[in-house]
Amino acid sequence: MRVLSGIQPTGNLHLGNYLGAIRNWVRMQDEMDSDSQCFFFLADMHSITVHEGREARIRNVRDMAAALVAAGIDPDRSVLFNQARVPAHAELCWLLNGTARIGWLNRMTQFKDKVGKDREGASIGLFVYPVLQAADILLYNATHVPVGEDQKQHLELARDIATKFNTDFGVDLFTMPAPIIPKESARIMSLRDGSAKMSKSDPSDMSRINLTDDDDAIMQKVKKAKTDPEPLPETAEGLAGRPEANNLVGIFATLTGRTPDAVCADFAGKGFGAFKPALGEVLVETLRPIRERFLELRTDDAALDAILDKGAARAAAAAEPTLRAAYDAMGLMR
């Protein structure tokens, strides 16, 4: 079993990233047997679809590496690297551009959602973004890829590209990747709007809990989180139509490893004046060791670069046979 997953180096890990994906990555890493391997990469080549200054991008990659290690990714047990350190990603992407079809990319709903009515003003990189994602996956012959609902279509595209390449060139080169949709994957919503995902792009810092927030900031954000005047119900069924309440109960349940029904039973009939301080304490105790480790790691750029260099060397060695075989299948002499 070979698992691959990537994350955009946004420079700031927040609670939504951590509970939605990173905790599951750590769990997978810890449960892997000796014959399996996890590859986790920072998708800095994907990030160029949005303009960002040189120094900011470098800082973001290092900070995200520090955040992942602080959250529990072990660079000795898993392969942790940034995309740009492994040129094979870009090389295979170009080869696969000859296999992928414009019609397939035109159907990608994420591209449509992001560009809206400004399709002509969007970058080509944003349009072919899913081909690079396919290269990321197929390069390592990943057998499994953790995905959320918004990425399932891109994984299907990777399978289509792999199938067409194998068929066109009469080879059995690329593995068909299967999705991993963790049963306990949490969808964390904004603290200001229970219908919107928690996001770094939200202009209000009060909408999210950042990895760098201190204990007081976490408590303040939880206490000011949007709620409704109704008390908590006896079961989670009673949270229907109450997105903000449902979000806070879901966060509490995820952090404590309990069900929303169990959380509701404990706080049934109580208002958020009682619930929010309890949630804040759970958040503080969970995030404090991660924050402290992150702040320690991010001050040592040399150590972070050494981690990424080591991971990149391992990734490049794993990718090289696949890339070489793809060139050979296409009759491209190197």
Side-chain angles (χ1 to χ4, degrees):
M1 182 175 180
R2 181 172 284 187
V3 176
L4 179 131
S5 196
I7 188 170
Q8 284 262 16
T10 59
N12 192 8
L13 190 67
H14 56 68
L15 184 68
N17 303 132
Y18 176 63
L19 293 182
I22 308 306
R23 282 209 326 175
N24 285 314
W25 289 10
V26 174
R27 188 178 294 115
M28 283 188 295
Q29 167 194 262
D30 294 344
E31 294 174 354
M32 282 289 176
D33 58 41
S34 59
D35 295 325
S36 301
Q37 195 167 29
C38 286
F39 289 75
F40 301 121
F41 70 95
L42 309 181
D44 50 355
M45 292 179 66
H46 284 287
S47 76
I48 67 172
T49 58
V50 177
H51 177 72
E52 188 173 41
R54 176 183 183 275
E55 297 304 321
R57 180 168 282 115
I58 291 172
R59 183 71 265 158
N60 284 347
V61 168
R62 287 171 174 157
D63 279 357
M64 189 57 76
L68 293 182
V69 174
I73 298 298
D74 184 344
D76 290 326
R77 298 168 62 192
S78 298
V79 182
L80 175 61
F81 64 101
N82 63 298
Q83 232 176 354
R85 277 182 161 90
V86 185
H89 286 254
E91 289 187 64
L92 184 59
C93 177
W94 181 251
L95 299 187
L96 296 182
N97 277 334
T99 298
R101 291 296 180 258
I102 289 176
W104 299 351
L105 297 178
N106 278 333
R107 289 194 290 271
M108 296 294 106
T109 55
Q110 273 205 338
F111 175 74
K112 296 175 185 177
D113 292 343
K114 287 182 178 181
V115 301
K117 295 180 180 179
D118 189 29
R119 183 184 176 93
E120 297 303 311
S123 77
I124 293 173
L126 189 61
F127 184 65
V128 300
Y129 190 106
V131 183
L132 180 55
Q133 281 190 316
D136 298 332
I137 296 165
L138 301 178
L139 188 60
Y140 300 100
N141 281 308
T143 57
H144 295 80
V145 181
V147 293
E149 288 297 321
D150 59 341
Q151 293 293 332
K152 288 174 66 176
Q153 189 185 35
H154 287 179
L155 185 61
E156 286 302 318
L157 177 70
R159 292 172 60 91
D160 289 342
I161 291 173
T163 298
K164 182 167 174 54
F165 187 100
N166 287 347
T167 301
D168 285 353
F169 296 103
V171 294
D172 186 23
L173 175 58
F174 295 127
T175 299
M176 294 298 119
I180 295 178
I181 304 176
K183 295 178 182 178
E184 301 176 13
S185 181
R187 183 175 171 84
I188 307 302
M189 312 307 282
S190 164
L191 299 181
R192 310 302 297 166
D193 179 0
S195 65
K197 284 182 67 175
M198 186 175 287
S199 171
K200 180 178 180 288
S201 62
D202 192 310
S204 172
D205 191 59
M206 296 299 290
S207 70
R208 59 187 169 271
I209 293 174
N210 304 305
L211 187 69
T212 51
D213 288 340
D214 61 25
D215 295 353
D216 290 341
I218 291 172
M219 291 298 293
Q220 182 185 37
K221 288 181 177 183
V222 172
K223 289 179 179 178
K224 291 189 175 182
K226 183 180 178 182
T227 52
D228 57 53
E230 299 300 317
L232 286 165
E234 293 182 356
T235 67
E237 185 179 3
L239 296 171
R242 302 173 63 184
E244 286 79 22
N246 185 61
N247 185 43
L248 296 186
V249 169
I251 293 172
F252 195 108
T254 302
L255 289 170
T256 57
R258 303 168 68 200
T259 66
D261 278 336
V263 175
C264 286
D266 279 354
F267 290 91
K270 296 180 181 179
F272 285 96
F275 181 76
K276 284 182 176 180
L279 173 59
E281 287 297 332
V282 171
L283 278 163
V284 164
E285 293 304 316
T286 301
L287 297 181
R288 183 188 294 130
I290 299 174
R291 178 183 69 244
E292 290 175 350
R293 177 65 172 144
F294 167 71
L295 293 175
E296 175 188 354
L297 286 166
R298 78 182 301 263
T299 62
D300 193 340
D301 289 348
L304 292 172
D305 286 349
I307 288 172
L308 294 173
D309 278 337
K310 181 177 74 172
R314 295 169 65 189
E320 200 276 335
T322 303
L323 181 64
R324 184 178 65 246
Y327 272 107
D328 182 66
M330 300 176 81
L332 295 171
M333 297 181 290
R334 302 180 74 189

